[in-house]
Amino acid sequence: MERYTLSVLVENQAGVLSRVVGLFSRRGFNIHSLSVGTTQDDSVSRITIEVNGDAQTVEQVSKQLSKIVEVIKIKTLRNYEIVKRGLALVKVKVSPKTRSEVIEITTVFRANIVDISPNTLTVEITGHDRKIGAFIDLVEPYGIEEISCTGMTALERGANTLKIDK
């Protein structure tokens, strides 16, 4: 199974996200990552959905999504055509002995320390899911207290855009 990224423009109205996500659950399709936010037009939201599946199933789901009245446009984005980023907050256990090691790892990953306590460092890391995963793997031996991750968000590279035809 491959991972697919769907970019969906929808009318910014109550209940739209529920209908979109409901379509996936009714078809027994697990959403790997979900990100939602308004676009440059406050009346339009972009939903970025990452799913694992095969091309035929993703195409069927896209066709079903297009039947939802509030869905304006859908595009399946290819990994080599997109810039994709996520955000994770990772609270790592530290001691006076390990604090500098965790700070060094954070620096290598170009992450930011956003909170410091005597026993923890909270790190903000952004990037591709592989980068975030690699960071988590490296700090896991120190002990992870908590993790909070956003869904991936993506835009097409270059001049390609997904926008409303007017």
Side-chain angles (χ1 to χ4, degrees):
M1 279 206 240
E2 286 184 64
R3 181 162 306 158
Y4 290 85
T5 303
L6 300 174
S7 187
V8 185
L9 294 180
V10 297
E11 294 174 12
N12 189 10
Q13 297 177 1
V16 174
L17 179 60
S18 176
R19 284 191 283 290
V20 168
V21 171
L23 186 142
F24 283 85
S25 65
R26 282 192 305 278
R27 296 188 58 80
F29 218 12
N30 187 42
I31 294 174
H32 177 75
S33 172
L34 179 69
S35 172
V36 184
T38 57
T39 63
Q40 66 275 22
D41 178 347
D42 286 342
S43 69
V44 178
S45 289
R46 178 186 305 268
I47 303 173
T48 305
I49 307 166
E50 282 192 329
V51 294
N52 292 325
D54 58 61
Q56 183 180 2
T57 307
V58 171
E59 186 178 331
Q60 287 177 330
V61 169
S62 292
K63 287 178 183 175
Q64 293 294 317
L65 278 173
S66 67
K67 293 179 183 178
I68 297 173
V69 174
E70 297 88 355
V71 170
I72 300 166
K73 251 186 180 174
I74 306 164
K75 186 163 187 183
T76 301
L77 304 174
R78 296 184 184 104
N79 279 332
Y80 62 87
E81 295 177 329
I82 62 175
V83 175
K84 174 170 100 167
R85 297 289 182 268
L87 164 73
L89 293 174
V90 184
K91 189 178 290 185
V92 184
K93 287 184 196 176
V94 293
S95 66
K97 190 171 121 182
T98 62
R99 181 179 303 275
S100 63
E101 295 171 19
V102 174
I103 290 171
E104 190 174 323
I105 293 169
T106 299
T107 302
V108 168
F109 278 85
R110 291 181 289 190
N112 298 307
I113 296 170
V114 294
D115 187 58
I116 298 173
S117 78
N119 301 315
T120 64
L121 292 176
T122 301
V123 179
E124 168 193 75
I125 181 165
T126 60
H128 197 280
D129 48 3
R130 290 187 305 262
K131 176 184 176 184
I132 294 170
F135 175 80
I136 290 169
D137 289 347
L138 280 175
V139 297
E140 199 163 28
Y142 297 94
I144 295 176
E145 289 288 309
E146 288 184 280
I147 297 177
S148 180
C149 296
T150 66
M152 289 287 147
T153 191
L155 289 175
E156 288 183 274
R157 292 186 179 277
N160 292 334
T161 62
L162 178 66
K163 58 184 174 184
I164 303 166
D165 299 324
K166 292 189 180 190

